[in-house]
Amino acid sequence: MEVLLDRTAQLGAITAALEGAAARRGTTVVLTGPPGAGFSAVLEAAAHTARATPRWLLVRARAVQEEAGIERALLQQLVSPLVEELDRLAAAGEELAPAPRAALDTASGWAVPAPGQVPLSMAVLWGLEVVARSRPVLLAVDDVPWADPASLEVLRFLTRRLSGVSACLLLAAPGAEPALDWPDADRVLELAPLEPAAAEALLARVAPDSGPHARERVVRLAAGRPRRLVDLGRLAQASAPTATTVALHSAALPWVQRAVQELRTRPEPERRRLLLAGLLDDPAGAPLVRRAEHLLAGGARPDAPADARYVEGLTEPLAEAVPDPLLAEVAAEGVEPEERSRAHRAWVAVLEPAAATARDQGRAELAVRLAAEARRQEGLALVLAAPSAPPEHDETARRGAAAPRLRAAARELVRHDPRRAGDLLTLAAQLEDDDARRTDLLRAAEVASALGRTLLAGVLTERAGAPRTPLDEAVAARTDAVRALARGEHEAAAGQLVRALQRCADAVGQSLEPSGTDGAGQEHDGDRGPGGAAALAQDEALLTAAVLAVVARRSADSTTDSSAGRALRGAGERLPDSLAARVRRLASLLVPWRDAVPEEQLEALLEALDVLDRGPVPVLRWAADVARALGRGDLVLAVAGSRAPHLTGPAAVDLHLARYAASLDSSIARAERHIEAARGQLRHAPELAPAVAQAQAVVDVVRCYSASELEGPLPPVEPLTTETDGARWAHAQSHRLRGEVQLAAQALRPLWVAGRAPSTGALVSSIPYVMSLKASGADPAELRAVLDQVAAWAQGSGAPLARVSRLLCEALTSDDLAEQEALLTTAAAQGGPALVTGTAQLALGMLLRRARRAVAARDPLQRAAEVFEGAGMPGFARQAQRELAATAPQRPLRRVGSRELTSQEREVAHLAAQGASNAEVALSLGISSRTVAHHLQKVYAKLGITGRQQLSARLDRV
């Protein structure tokens, strides 16, 4: 039943028809819809329902196209089971009319027609009525449009005569018009194409190991038709693991061969249009198709190039001429190379002016996509044409000029669609000489690796061979660094990036030398124009510098910071002035917080995000940590928002984790949506599953008010993921919910290693860390060291999160109530994201309430509750609401001797029942141990127990 997704309504209607037939209310149900919509599966489901009741007689039949000219070919399949059932009844003593019985022998092929014979339609109805008196009958007929005329006549007769017969006639008529072909049917059910979500779910079942891009193509070609989806999915999975396409023209699938035959019957202009549509293969092709429709509708201009005149006379809208994408795909595959090459060139002539128009209209992304598709069409045309041997030949010159244009288009497209950008680089490699070919293949392998296409990345790397130029070595080293990051080997990744940057600087210097030979005696091109060696090397140098700066900043290792800083400064001295200025700006990310200038840090972050937006390297999650420390998570969200629809695998997980981190301080609900999106990409990035699980743990703990609300154990702290710091915070917070302050401090202490600058994760966890250290009686020197680091962070970043963290940490460690109030009042006025402002308001309200200034405490506590509630942080909101309730000027009157627990008594009892000591309960609720003991004594008296060992069982009954 694997193709029955999204068919609940139809199956329900068929079940109702079977129930009616069993009660002598015969029904005819016609299934209609596009071929391949899952008719056979629905018929099988109906048969399964009938088999569940032993009384039913099931009669199955299928019309076959090759038998459409054989009289009564389909009828024979229907009559034979009825004849067998009639013979059984006769053997049991049933009296049967001889005339219709003889006619049925004619229909089953065992006798020849005789003069005066009962008409076949009447004979079949008679046989059906006789059998149905003893048991209900299901006649299930598949592919009815291919039935022979004589059989169709009988079926149409039956549709008008079943009202009082215990029979159900179920007809699958793909492509039929029920109102014309079956006007007397009792029920017509349309099998509409599957919705995209259902199609994806079905494909995941039948082809779980197919790659994301093969799945994308299968879903597009299937057009929501389950049978086609299943066949194409299995074909894609059985093909080479590195393949992103599957040859359809020669596929041994009946419906494909029928499409091939149908194409032969189409007129030449229609086949030409289908060919053009099939060549416009773009995952986000809707804008391209709309633009192409507009241009094709007017034909070619009189002054258009000769190639563009290939579209003359094609005035019908493209979407109407190509209702089925499969026909277009088969048309593109089956055409002769010369014709296909001409069609590719026609697209170039059509798309280039369309790109220019889009650019003039300010539609930047559409212009980039149109231009990239034009370059792809140009490259495919050149690949089809065999290159001529003489170097002066025009075709050879065109191939040499096309490759740089493909590379330039890939650089522009990578921020919008990395998959297609990688395809452009692979195509460019087919048009280039050895050195440029290796570089393009290595860059395409890097893109494939970032997208989870690991097998393809391996094949491309193998094709490229050993790096021979500095630029090849740089790209290969950066790819190794990305793989090391995925394994959590941060220092190894930083070392590879340092090496990559050095080789990039070598490549830039080499490309700026006059044309000639390099130190190894290899000839190279000194072209400095767009797409030339200099521009390419500089782009790679800038991307490598940005990745190195982000990774080194996030790793927070003083050794790594210094080596990365030296590498960035050294590269800056060797690069051209304009590029050196950008690299130096990136290097300022590595300045220690104590020496940093907030404006310079923000400029460096903007530079890094701009560069990362133009590259496929999955380190945006690391940049999100820097943005969070600078209070500018919105910048990460802006960069990530445009790329999400076109990414898969590690790059997609990285992007969604970056968006999760950027949302964490303001909207937990939004953060969790990004975690769910990241989880959906783990099929092609399983190594990142621990990072996603640890991110989810942070969200789960933020929502908890007490340890009892944690539904399960937290995932282990994996030191090799991007979310290790967050996981430590989650574990520490779960200990604090239980009042285990020493364990909370121990969970966060690994983030604060002596001699190393604290990471962003350590800094944003400074408030709970300081609280835990203070409550557990830690060494004052250790506490002071943390306060110094937080103060440096507040000075160097200037972000609200940093400033509020410093003020709250100072207040938590102060013993002067007036000083505490002044610090918390200043912190509450700072503004910033929800977690920042809410925490400050809550801390101020708690301080004022404990100072017996309940009226003054209400306003900050009310604001804190509202902020936390709006941000989707119910645990913190509940804490603020509990504090606010304690400031109420009037409490509800209780009758003397009441055994009802107050809210405070209930909170104390629940924590004590979980095993927390009086001191731990006091810390968790912000009251004294003496108050906890007083509340417990009152709880014991009200519940009629003698100690805390009986609390858990008694509270359950309460």
Side-chain angles (χ1 to χ4, degrees), residues 39-40 43 60-64 74 140-145 170-172 174:
F39 293 91
S40 299
L43 291 183
R60 299 289 299 272
R62 176 190 292 274
V64 181
L74 175 63
V141 186
D142 204 353
D143 291 333
V144 170
L170 182 58
L171 305 175

Side-chain angles (χ1 to χ4, degrees), residues 99 130 206 223 243 252 261 276 442 588 592 646 663 724 792 828 868 957:
V130 171
V206 299
Q261 294 173 11
L276 287 167
L442 288 170
S588 66
H646 311 296
S663 305
T724 301
F868 288 136
R957 290 197 296 272

Side-chain angles (χ1 to χ4, degrees), residues 95-185:
E95 296 222 359
L96 304 179
R101 176 67 182 78
L104 290 180
D105 285 338
T106 301
S108 62
W110 295 109
V112 296
Q117 180 177 281
V118 174
L120 284 178
S121 298
M122 297 297 294
V124 173
L125 178 60
W126 168 82
L128 189 58
E129 289 176 337
V130 171
V131 172
R133 282 199 295 268
S134 61
R135 58 191 305 195
V137 182
L138 170 62
L139 300 173
V141 186
D142 204 353
D143 291 333
V144 170
W146 292 338
D148 60 279
S151 299
L152 278 176
E153 181 182 352
V154 174
L155 290 176
R156 290 197 176 96
F157 177 79
L158 292 177
T159 63
R160 299 188 290 271
R161 294 293 192 277
L162 291 184
S163 58
V165 182
S166 290
C168 178
L169 179 59
L170 182 58
L171 305 175
E177 288 286 347
L180 300 177
D181 295 342
W182 304 96
D184 299 311

Side-chain angles (χ1 to χ4, degrees), residues 869-949:
E869 193 69 36
M873 304 175 183
F876 289 100
R878 186 175 167 189
Q879 183 180 7
Q881 290 163 355
R882 182 185 65 81
E883 291 286 335
L884 182 61
T887 68
Q890 292 182 352
R891 301 186 183 278
L893 295 176
R894 299 176 184 274
R895 55 188 173 83
V896 177
S898 171
R899 291 184 174 274
E900 182 181 353
L901 300 182
T902 66
S903 60
Q904 186 83 313
E905 290 168 353
R906 192 178 301 277
E907 297 287 351
V908 170
H910 275 292
L911 290 174
Q914 294 170 12
S917 66
N918 286 6
E920 291 168 342
V921 173
L923 178 67
S924 180
L925 299 181
I927 56 181
S928 68
S929 297
R930 185 175 178 181
T931 303
V932 171
H934 175 70
H935 283 314
L936 283 176
Q937 290 302 320
K938 294 177 69 175
V939 168
Y940 299 157
K942 288 181 177 182
L943 298 183
I945 59 178
T946 58
R948 63 202 309 145
Q949 294 81 4

Side-chain angles (χ1 to χ4, degrees), residues 831-849:
L835 190 59
V836 174
T837 58
T839 301
Q841 296 282 1
L842 177 59
L844 177 59
M846 290 174 66
L847 176 72
L848 293 174
R849 187 179 80 81

